[in-house]
Amino acid sequence: MDITRIKYPKQIVSIGRRDKTLGIEAKLFTPTEQEYNDGKKNPLEMHSKFSVFKFSIISGSTKANNAEVLTANIPAMEMKGIYDKTQAVLTSWAFMKLSNFFHVDESQKMSAAYTQKLTMKKYGNKTPAEILIADPGAKTDLLATKLWLTDHLSKYPKNKEMIAAIDEAIDLLDAGKLDSGSVVHTTNASVPIYQSGIKIPHAKKMDDDGCTNIYTLDILFDTNRDSPFQVKIMNCMAPTVSAWDGSGRITADLSKSKNKKEISQYLLQEEWLKICNQCVDVLHNFEETYFPQQWKLANQFDYYPMKD
């Protein structure tokens, strides 16, 4: 094997889009000697405080020299909980959708007016029926949208489905048969899967303004998107302050932040599950690989009472 260079040797998954890429690296480490000596870690805890999954979103083009890279970390031991919560949220959402489906009037189940969502941003991923029930006056705007969809039908054949849905909804409105009880309601909910809170990786490294690097990482499940999982990273510089709860914990004053940047990437359900599975598999393999040496160390320092 003649390998001369591997750019990201610990990258476990990369999800690309036209203008951005999400990458995850496994930066996993067993506890350090200092952590043992300070009494902050024990051998069978397996992971140092530095053991993390590093999330990076690259926006822009490296070739055009306008790439922007935001990074954030998830502690290694929190990844299994994130995976479990993802499974619980998806299961709950599946039951909710089934419940909604079976409570819709049989005569309306197959009507595109109630089921075909309009993908234009201004409609918030709602169906024509939902739009007209909320505001019958939106009929004029829907007719204009229908005209635009028709003009671009040759380029976007799937417009045909939205055109039919708009026609059906308007016909039902005009006939006085638009039924709010037949709408398959979707909850406008953004469910948090993980929220890091304010993280300060190097509190003692400050610039001339007394600011240090800050990041936050949020993973959300948006019930109304085709790509429902959102990974959102924020990086900035901000001054540190003591937490208001009197715990002595250090946090940051984001009202005085500078160079604040935030990038999100939406993922298909399959893409986020791939990330979760990859992270959990790598975590398991790491722990299985290093368990013998950690067990040996634990045995070495364990207390054995003297035998008679």
Side-chain angles (χ1 to χ4, degrees), residues 229 267-275:
F229 287 95
L267 303 168
L268 295 168
Q269 177 178 315
E270 294 78 11
E271 291 173 326
W272 176 245
L273 286 175
K274 176 183 177 182
I275 289 171

Side-chain angles (χ1 to χ4, degrees), residues 45-91:
E45 292 181 67
M46 295 300 297
H47 292 275
S48 166
K49 70 175 183 178
F50 305 108
S51 191
V52 299
F53 288 99
K54 180 180 178 182
F55 281 60
S56 302
I57 300 180
I58 304 172
S59 178
S61 170
T62 53
K63 292 181 179 179
N65 294 320
N66 64 353
E68 196 166 62
V69 183
L70 300 191
T71 62
N73 298 326
I74 293 180
M77 292 304 294
E78 294 189 32
M79 200 63 219
K80 292 178 182 177
I82 291 171
Y83 176 79
D84 289 342
K85 187 166 185 179
T86 296
Q87 295 288 359
V89 166
L90 288 176
T91 299

Side-chain angles (χ1 to χ4, degrees), residues 106-276:
E106 290 294 331
S107 61
Q108 302 288 357
K109 277 183 182 177
M110 303 308 294
S111 172
Y114 295 93
T115 59
Q116 175 63 53
K117 295 179 180 180
L118 302 182
T119 58
M120 299 78 173
K121 188 175 182 180
K122 65 178 180 178
Y123 294 130
N125 214 30
K126 294 180 180 179
T127 66
E130 287 179 290
I131 295 164
L132 290 175
I133 288 169
D135 178 18
K139 173 181 174 180
T140 303
D141 186 68
L142 284 175
L143 287 170
T145 297
K146 175 191 170 182
L147 182 62
W148 186 90
L149 291 169
T150 303
D151 289 343
H152 294 80
L153 187 58
S154 60
K155 187 175 182 181
Y156 303 107
K158 288 188 177 182
N159 284 0
K160 183 178 180 180
E161 298 167 3
M162 289 188 282
I163 292 169
I166 292 172
D167 281 339
E168 287 185 32
I170 291 175
D171 288 345
L172 288 168
L173 177 69
D174 292 343
K177 295 181 180 179
L178 200 60
D179 181 11
S180 61
S182 297
V183 174
V184 180
H185 294 285
T186 55
T187 304
N188 293 317
S190 185
V191 182
I193 301 295
Y194 176 81
Q195 294 178 300
S196 70
I198 295 172
K199 294 296 183 181
I200 309 170
H202 308 292
K204 295 182 179 179
K205 293 184 179 180
M206 297 188 179
D207 64 10
D208 293 339
D209 297 324
C211 295
T212 188
N213 288 305
I214 307 294
Y215 71 80
T216 63
L217 172 60
D218 295 319
I219 300 168
L220 307 169
F221 176 70
D222 188 336
T223 58
N224 282 330
R225 293 186 65 96
D226 293 330
S227 297
F229 287 95
Q230 178 190 19
V231 176
K232 180 168 64 176
I233 297 177
M234 187 280 293
N235 287 178
C236 72
M237 299 288 290
T240 58
V241 295
S242 297
W244 62 270
D245 57 8
S247 63
R249 181 173 54 88
I250 299 298
T251 184
D253 184 358
L254 295 186
S255 68
K256 298 178 181 178
S257 66
K258 62 180 184 178
N259 302 329
K260 187 175 181 180
K261 298 172 183 177
E262 187 174 279
I263 302 178
S264 289
Q265 182 159 329
Y266 284 92
L267 303 168
L268 295 168
Q269 177 178 315
E270 294 78 11
E271 291 173 326
W272 176 245
L273 286 175
K274 176 183 177 182
I275 289 171
C276 286

